[in-house]
Amino acid sequence: MRTARSVILVMVAGLISSLLSVNPAGGVADFGDVAPMEFYTAAVQWMVDDDITTGTSANCFSPHDAVTRGQAAAFMWRMEGEPTPASPHPFNDVSKAWQQDPISWMFAEDITTGTSSTMFSPEDVLTRGQMAALLWRLAGSPTGNPPHPFDDVTASWQQEAISWMKALGITTGTSATKFSPDDTVTRAQLATFLYRYKGSPAVEISAHSPACGTPPSPGDVKNCSSFTYQEDAQRYHDYYLPFYGDVANLDSDGDGVVCESLPSNGTTTTTTTTTTTTTTTTTTTTTIPGSPAVTSLVATPNPALVGSVVQFNAITTGTIVQYEWDYENDGTFVVGTSIGSHTFNAPGLQTVTLRVTDANTLTGTGTVDVNAYHPTLVDDADIFIFTPDGGHTGSNTSGSFSFHFDGSDVGLFGSTGALPPDVDGFDTNHEDIDALWEDAASGDLFISTNSNANVPSISTAGDEDLIRFADVTYGTTTSGSWSLYFDGSDVGLVASGDDLYAVAFDGTEMLWSSQGPSVPPYLNSVPGSTRIDVNRFTGTYGSNTSGTAAIDLALGPLGFSIPVNNDNVGALHYVPGIGLDATYYLAFWTPTSVPGLGTVSDSDIVSYNNTSGTWAMVFDASDVGIDKGTLDAFHIRANGQILMSTGLDADDPEIELDDKLLVPGITGPYSLGS
């Protein structure tokens, strides 16, 4: 560890600068280009103190330069204590000696897989999205964090990492709604990310006056109200003074002491008077103690789930002899230490206050707001995404969930009744999603609902129709437009029983299954078809739908009986093969006996290949904690992700949430559904 340098003393009224032999304030951490009071100042000081950086030259840190992937690897490796790699990396483009151990360590610890199997690209600049992923993997890839609020984060591999960074306060984004994942990480930003990752440890800011060129002018953008304490304003002023003068006009009376009306932060304030005679120089110094201050108060996690433990960490100035916490914002303080903890039992913004007392009986306070929230219940008019871990599906399903589509934002309301559920056990509007398909090229969704849907630009879409949603944004703030894609009544489907329960596409041809009547003729539009069969429609679409339909997959000959108790095909996906080969992915409305698999849940997905005639388990809902829901609709992406919409078993005594489902990993301080 490097020894922290002495803190520069702030010279106050009475200072006769011409008689003092001192250097201008300059930069901090021995770097002339690291200004005081920047967002990265403490972070750079910490990196210097912990031997993580020596700068880009003797006196320069270059905070605004881009970070390369090789540099980021070295910084993280040093931060972790320069561990010995378990094995060498496989990358043939890593040639510099100082990069070998850091990149080998990152590869051995599964922090990076490179940009290909043989390339790490150490000279490429690091993006903010890549930095998030590296730090997240370094932390062990923790899941279950509240979703981030950034609408520009679209890559699936960035979602958990950036949610974790936001939850722990490592990032606040580039704005309230933007993270800018493709922007280059600067050295200042990287220092800040690493510093916050380590919990923002206390540092003692050191300063001297090295030369590192001329810093860019900050302009006249600050005034005394921009600073909390006089010492902060003084450091800012002294840094830029040699280059641009009093650019912010902080020294109104020209005595060298700025913003004299601001309080002290507890740093020793020194008054110096110098008298010179022919034989001696006498200096008298008077030290005036300042009040202690809470310079940092961090709550982790924040936002926090109601009923979970929140930890508080404080950084203070002065010699503190007593810490007192007011957790409920009711004026009741309890004595503790600089680390506190509390469990909030009610949702909402909770203000926590820390009061500190120093050896001079002076006090200071700090506050932090904690956003306490209930678990988010996913409505049956919403869509969430299951991402399998390394292809782990089937009888050993594992993976994570994320939120994708909020139906209530765009006019779909599945559940409007108060909790507990309505008398009949079902929701009020019945606009829950029953059939789903995603267009791979546009991302548009094709949806059919359980009952008539009243959405913007479509007066009424029947449950036998298919409506198309073209998105502007997905996620917790969903927006876009609707259009009618398939009018079932035009081709013989009737609202009284032929509502679409499952939909898939093979090019322009639509595969579907319908509830239909439970007695012959079953479906008015497809002779001989039952609601356990899959049909194929060929024709034209839109408000004037026309075409023909025929049975595409008859399940009766495969061992399924004609249903009489609503055990019809509940959801469908289709993947064509070569020639006549194809694979059908199915979910059933009720637990159903499947050849070779036994009874499968109404939350599971099975597949049938029409060439081999074999059935297989694709998604076991009980493995991932959503087996209490009925899988109403799903769509499988080419990358293996599964879009899902689910309702709940109305007669399940454990379910009292009005067709809303608690999905593992989908939690947040926002309202989903109604």
Side-chain angles (χ1 to χ4, degrees):
M1 288 289 178
R2 299 184 178 190
T3 304
R5 288 84 174 157
S6 57
V7 180
I8 187 170
L9 300 179
V10 179
M11 298 300 142
V12 295
L15 174 65
I16 306 174
S17 60
S18 62
L19 296 178
L20 295 179
S21 178
V22 297
N23 291 321
V28 302
D30 280 351
F31 297 128
D33 56 356
V34 178
M37 299 309 299
E38 296 290 353
F39 72 88
Y40 54 85
T41 302
V44 175
Q45 181 71 63
W46 163 76
M47 290 182 73
V48 170
D49 291 346
D50 279 21
D51 291 321
I52 298 170
T53 186
T54 56
T56 53
S57 68
N59 296 325
C60 298
F61 179 74
S62 306
H64 306 297
D65 284 3
V67 176
T68 67
R69 289 169 55 84
Q71 291 168 343
F75 284 140
M76 293 174 65
W77 178 67
R78 294 171 193 159
M79 178 181 70
E80 292 302 295
E82 302 184 4
T84 302
S87 58
H89 64 75
F91 308 122
N92 58 27
D93 62 344
V94 179
S95 58
K96 295 179 180 178
W98 59 268
Q99 296 174 346
Q100 302 300 326
D101 279 353
I103 295 173
S104 292
W105 164 73
M106 291 182 71
F107 181 77
E109 297 297 321
D110 292 325
I111 299 169
T112 184
T113 56
T115 53
S116 75
S117 60
T118 59
M119 305 284 283
F120 181 76
S121 307
E123 305 309 318
D124 286 2
V125 294
L126 185 74
T127 68
R128 289 170 56 86
Q130 291 170 342
M131 185 70 233
L134 294 177
L135 270 182
W136 178 64
R137 294 171 194 155
L138 175 62
S141 303
T143 59
N145 299 287
H148 62 74
F150 308 123
D151 58 22
D152 60 347
V153 178
T154 57
S156 59
W157 58 270
Q158 296 175 351
Q159 302 299 329
E160 282 283 5
I162 294 172
S163 292
W164 165 77
M165 286 184 69
K166 181 66 171 68
L168 266 64
I170 298 173
T171 185
T172 56
T174 53
S175 74
T177 59
K178 304 294 181 186
F179 180 77
S180 307
D182 298 323
D183 284 4
T184 298
V185 177
T186 66
R187 291 170 59 86
Q189 291 171 340
L190 179 132
T192 305
F193 284 149
L194 299 184
Y195 178 61
R196 293 173 182 165
Y197 172 79
K198 285 297 187 180
S200 303
V203 295
E204 187 175 356
I205 301 297
S206 64
H208 78 185
S209 52
C212 182
T214 302
S217 173
D220 186 12
V221 296
K222 292 184 182 290
N223 53 45
C224 288
S225 64
S226 304
F227 305 93
T228 303
Y229 300 109
Q230 191 275 335
E231 291 86 349
D232 299 336
Q234 191 74 50
R235 290 191 186 98
Y236 183 88
H237 167 272
D238 293 348
Y239 176 74
Y240 289 108
L241 185 66
F243 305 103
Y244 304 105
D246 185 13
V247 65
N249 299 309
L250 302 179
D251 186 11
S252 58
D253 56 10
D255 65 353
V257 183
V258 304
C259 303
E260 296 171 67
S261 62
L262 290 176
S264 167
N265 68 356
T267 303
T268 301
T269 301
T270 303
T271 302
T272 303
T273 304
T274 303
T275 304
T276 303
T277 68
T278 57
T279 59
T280 183
T281 298
T282 303
T283 301
T284 303
T285 301
T286 304
T287 300
I288 306 171
S291 298
V294 179
T295 58
S296 175
L297 186 55
V298 177
T300 305
N302 190 11
L305 194 64
V306 168
S308 65
V309 177
V310 181
Q311 180 171 301
F312 301 91
N313 291 272
I315 298 175
T316 60
T317 62
T319 303
I320 306 302
V321 297
Q322 182 167 276
Y323 298 84
E324 299 172 280
W325 295 89
D326 177 4
Y327 294 113
E328 296 291 341
N329 199 29
D330 59 1
T332 302
F333 287 85
V334 294
V335 176
T337 68
S338 62
I339 300 176
S341 64
H342 189 66
T343 299
F344 297 100
N345 295 315
L349 204 61
Q350 312 287 347
T351 300
V352 174
T353 301
L354 171 63
R355 182 170 62 198
V356 295
T357 305
D358 68 8
N360 298 308
T361 69
L362 299 174
T363 61
T365 59
T367 61
V368 63
D369 289 331
V370 178
N371 191 352
Y373 63 92
H374 280 309
T376 298
L377 300 174
V378 179
D379 192 81
D380 48 12
D382 300 333
I383 299 169
F384 54 97
I385 298 174
F386 173 74
T387 302
D389 292 334
H392 290 168
T393 55
S395 58
N396 292 298
T397 301
S398 67
S400 59
F401 294 94
S402 57
F403 192 74
H404 184 60
F405 172 86
D406 189 338
S408 67
D409 286 345
V410 290
L412 287 184
F413 297 96
S415 306
T416 59
L419 305 182
D422 305 327
V423 174
D424 66 354
F426 291 95
D427 51 56
T428 304
N429 280 31
H430 294 285
E431 289 181 344
D432 49 311
I433 296 170
D434 263 1
L436 170 66
W437 182 265
E438 181 187 56
D439 178 66
S442 65
D444 289 0
L445 299 175
F446 297 83
I447 289 171
S448 185
T449 56
N450 184 48
S451 187
N452 292 346
N454 296 286
V455 294
S457 76
I458 300 177
S459 58
T460 300
D463 53 15
E464 75 279 7
D465 298 335
L466 194 65
I467 53 179
R468 180 171 187 165
F469 176 75
D471 74 292
V472 175
T473 59
Y474 282 125
T476 56
T477 304
T478 299
S479 63
S481 59
W482 294 97
S483 60
L484 180 64
Y485 187 78
F486 173 85
D487 189 334
S489 64
D490 286 346
V491 290
L493 295 178
V494 295
S496 61
D498 283 347
D499 48 327
L500 295 178
Y501 266 27
V503 165
F505 279 88
D506 180 11
T508 60
E509 297 181 341
M510 186 178 82
L511 282 74
W512 53 275
S513 187
S514 172
Q515 178 182 1
S518 58
V519 295
Y522 304 114
L523 294 179
N524 297 315
S525 58
V526 185
S529 176
T530 74
R531 60 191 185 191
I532 201 66
D533 298 329
V534 176
N535 309 294
R536 181 181 291 263
F537 172 81
T538 303
T540 59
Y541 299 93
S543 57
N544 294 300
T545 302
S546 64
T548 59
I551 298 175
D552 191 72
L553 176 66
L555 294 184
L558 301 179
F560 294 82
S561 58
I562 296 174
V564 293
N565 294 313
N566 290 332
D567 49 345
N568 45 280
V569 172
L572 168 68
H573 186 79
Y574 177 83
V575 176
I578 299 175
L580 297 177
D581 182 50
T583 301
Y584 299 80
Y585 296 83
L586 304 169
F588 300 98
W589 186 332
T590 60
T592 300
S593 178
V594 176
L597 299 179
T599 300
V600 299
S601 164
D602 51 7
S603 304
D604 297 337
I605 300 173
V606 297
S607 67
Y608 174 74
N609 182 271
N610 68 346
T611 299
S612 65
T614 57
W615 292 87
M617 176 69 76
V618 174
F619 175 82
D620 189 335
S622 64
D623 286 344
V624 288
I626 63 166
D627 51 315
K628 292 299 181 185
T630 299
L631 187 54
D632 287 342
F634 70 89
H635 174 91
I636 303 177
R637 288 174 169 170
N639 64 3
Q641 290 182 319
I642 307 176
L643 279 67
M644 298 179 168
S645 185
T646 181
L648 294 181
D649 302 323
D651 57 351
D652 191 330
E654 297 182 29
I655 301 303
E656 301 249 338
L657 296 172
D658 197 16
D659 279 14
K660 296 176 187 286
L661 181 67
L662 177 59
V663 178
I666 300 185
T667 55
Y670 43 74
S671 174
L672 302 182
S674 55

